[in-house]
Amino acid sequence: CVVEKGAPDGEKYVFHGESDQHPDKEAGHVIICVTEQPHKVFKRRGADLFFEKTITLQEALTGADFAIDYLDGTKIRVQSPKGLVIKPDMLMTIEDKGLPFHKKSYQFGNLFVQFTVEFPNTLNEQ
């Protein structure tokens, strides 16, 4: 038995006859239950991942461009489309950059970036 990619929280896997063996006794089963641990950067909902990003008001008006350190160690570049004004709590979707779907490991969920816009306390004339 193999624990599959994208296994959801609470998924159980039974390894039949794999427990301690003893002469004259039938070996029992080993049951493994998947327990999802919280990640310090990403939140999971099914196969989708959520990432929160705080940007400045200037970035919200002129465009955001940053990199996310992904789960496998690679970097994902996130750029807002030209001319788009990013509003507070706006979601940006990066398709197929989530986790693999359970039982369909060739398909992936999406990565959602939720923006928080940091407003300045004061403005100068410039």
Side-chain angles (χ1 to χ4, degrees):
C1 186
V2 175
V3 176
E4 299 170 357
K5 293 179 182 179
D9 189 46
E11 182 76 9
K12 289 184 181 178
Y13 291 91
V14 179
F15 297 85
H16 298 282
E18 295 295 326
S19 70
D20 289 340
Q21 297 181 6
H22 189 275
D24 302 326
K25 292 187 179 180
E26 186 177 332
H29 307 311
V30 174
I31 301 172
I32 295 181
C33 184
V34 175
T35 303
E36 183 179 322
Q37 299 296 313
H39 192 270
K40 63 181 178 179
V41 176
F42 297 100
K43 291 180 183 166
R44 178 183 181 183
R45 287 192 198 136
D48 294 329
L49 291 175
F50 289 80
F51 177 81
E52 295 178 2
K53 176 68 176 172
T54 300
I55 59 173
T56 64
L57 179 58
Q58 181 178 352
E59 289 172 309
L61 297 172
T62 61
D65 187 356
F66 58 93
I68 297 174
D69 292 324
Y70 195 59
L71 296 170
D72 62 3
T74 61
K75 292 196 181 288
I76 296 176
R77 186 174 181 188
V78 179
Q79 288 181 291
S80 59
K82 277 195 173 218
L84 176 71
V85 173
I86 299 172
K87 296 168 184 63
D89 295 324
M90 183 174 163
L91 282 177
M92 180 183 287
T93 305
I94 303 170
E95 294 183 1
D96 299 325
K97 288 297 182 182
L99 297 175
F101 281 99
H102 186 233
K103 309 249 185 218
K104 295 180 187 175
S105 61
Y106 54 90
Q107 292 179 323
F108 291 81
N110 297 322
L111 171 61
F112 294 95
V113 179
Q114 183 172 17
F115 291 98
T116 299
V117 179
E118 193 173 71
F119 286 85
N121 291 327
T122 60
L123 290 177
N124 60 33
E125 289 185 28
Q126 294 177 354

